[in-house]
Amino acid sequence: MKTIYLDNNATTRVDPEVLDAMMPYLSDLYGNPSSMHTFGGQVGQKIRQAREQVAALIGCDPSEIIFTSCGTESDNTAIRSALQTHSDRSKIVTTRVEHPAVLSTCRELEHHGYSVVEIGVDEKGRLNMDEYVDAVDDDTAVVTAMWANNETGVIFPVEELAEIARANGAVFHTDAVQAVGKIPCDMSESKIDMMSLSGHKLHAPKGVGVLYVRKGTRLAPFMLGGHQESGKRAGTENVAGIIAIGKACEIAQKWMEDENTRVKAMRDKLEKTILESCPDCFVNGDTENRLPNTSNISFEYIEGESILLLLDRLGICASSGSACTSGSLEPSHVLRAMGVPFTAAHGSIRLSLSRFNTDEEIEFVAKKMPEIIKRLRELSPFVQT
């Protein structure tokens, strides 16, 4: 049975070109990039190249790139660093729909005496800007708001948010893990101070991330030890992972237009077919301003997990929400923040595409979905006959 993978917001397939680029550094070229000898030095040169490749994708200077282990580490470093370097301030401003990497960190810091304000969203997942403007003040050390939501794909106005944060003297950080590689994220004219990204969301392997830190932004290292990453992040480098994320960023630049045309068209076609063929379902989130690959759909009267199980039997991989919270019986905190009714939130699934998907795959899923929904509705005690 062929696997049809529509869970790319959870993780992505490693691009074969990326795999080819990193393989020599898992076998023959194993030198430590910090070594004085030539054998290690050639590895160090490849890390410098990867830094340039990442910088080229996001429009910054290579010196503003810090390699980390993942997006979560980048998020933690940014938030905790801002609090340390602005120790005369005690407020964190974030949003109710952040990834757990940010929300859990902020809520843990609240137990250590920091004031945390979580800004709400409307029924389409759009940030409440009035609430945001009122919240950011001269006691705010850091604002951390995602660029694009991992469950609905809704895009936040991060440049406007950053401008307001800067006007109040606060550091602005954005978790751009889902956005980078799918939509332009250009730091050259930006007021964003720090930005997180993750390798496995853009066709590099798991275990490598990046924290962008604008020149002039003070940084308190989260990881202490050696002098790697110019003393900003200690620990022997994940060389193969770093080379992989560099190559993935180079490739992402070439495929950005495809993400926003062909991939978007496949997503829209799948979504349209499902809405037309399955009664009592609707799309969650702002359909006019979202990532080109993401669709989050609620089906009334049935559970999302049941849909996923039947899809899985056909080799179709999807998700009921954030991969980091799967397994929880609670409905998505994102959909709850949007005011999606409890029954509909329980019946939601996320379909997230990539450039590796094909029209044939999408047509197969579109054909099978109505059969699955009809079958589950016939078993549902909540459907009135």
Side-chain angles (χ1 to χ4, degrees), residues 6-56:
L6 301 180
D7 198 15
N8 287 279
N9 285 13
T11 196
T12 56
R13 171 186 176 182
V14 176
D15 189 300
E17 281 188 64
V18 170
L19 189 62
D20 286 344
M22 68 185 287
M23 283 305 289
Y25 299 88
L26 290 170
S27 52
D28 296 338
L29 301 175
Y30 53 84
N32 189 322
S34 297
S35 300
M36 292 293 291
H37 47 69
T38 304
F39 187 62
Q42 62 184 326
V43 178
Q45 174 57 35
K46 288 296 289 186
I47 288 180
R48 286 190 286 278
Q49 182 186 15
R51 205 181 304 279
E52 292 169 358
Q53 289 167 317
V54 177

Side-chain angles (χ1 to χ4, degrees), residues 134-332:
D134 288 343
V136 181
D137 57 22
D138 60 8
D139 189 39
T140 306
V142 58
V143 174
T144 175
M146 62 194 351
W147 197 309
N149 188 268
N150 50 310
E151 295 189 34
T152 63
V154 172
I155 297 170
F156 279 173
V158 286
E159 291 299 343
E160 186 180 352
L161 301 179
E163 191 166 347
I164 293 168
R166 178 173 288 192
N168 285 276
V171 172
F172 184 83
H173 162 255
T174 184
D175 179 338
V177 161
Q178 294 293 346
V180 171
K182 298 184 182 114
I183 57 175
C185 297
D186 186 4
M187 296 296 100
S188 62
E189 301 293 332
S190 173
K191 289 184 170 56
I192 293 168
D193 298 303
M194 291 193 268
M195 180 171 78
S196 302
L197 53 144
S198 175
H200 76 103
K201 307 291 187 176
L202 67 156
H203 302 290
K206 302 164 189 67
V208 63
V210 165
L211 177 63
Y212 157 80
V213 181
R214 177 174 299 285
K215 282 181 182 175
T217 302
R218 288 179 290 162
L219 183 80
F222 183 53
M223 302 276 283
L224 300 176
H227 61 275
Q228 293 88 356
E229 295 298 292
S230 302
K232 296 171 184 171
R233 196 273 185 183
T236 303
E237 296 90 342
N238 172 7
V239 172
I242 288 171
I243 290 167
I245 197 172
K247 187 65 178 178
C249 285
E250 179 187 291
I251 295 171
Q253 248 180 331
K254 299 176 185 172
W255 283 90
M256 188 87 69
E257 185 179 346
D258 183 75
E259 285 275 354
N260 288 276
T261 53
R262 188 182 65 86
V263 173
K264 180 176 182 293
M266 287 194 295
R267 186 275 311 271
D268 291 346
K269 179 180 178 182
L270 176 59
E271 194 174 87
K272 183 171 183 290
T273 305
I274 291 172
L275 293 178
E276 289 177 348
S277 58
C278 302
D280 298 316
C281 66
F282 57 88
V283 176
N284 294 304
D286 183 359
T287 55
E288 300 299 316
N289 189 33
R290 61 177 166 161
L291 295 174
N293 77 319
T294 306
S295 179
N296 189 307
I297 304 177
S298 280
F299 298 87
E300 294 275 16
Y301 315 126
I302 52 179
E303 292 187 344
E305 285 74 10
S306 301
I307 303 171
L308 297 181
L309 285 172
L310 294 185
L311 287 172
D312 186 55
R313 290 181 186 177
L314 296 169
I316 302 166
C317 306
S319 169
S320 59
S322 167
C324 300
T325 55
S326 61
S328 169
L329 293 177
E330 290 295 316
S332 152

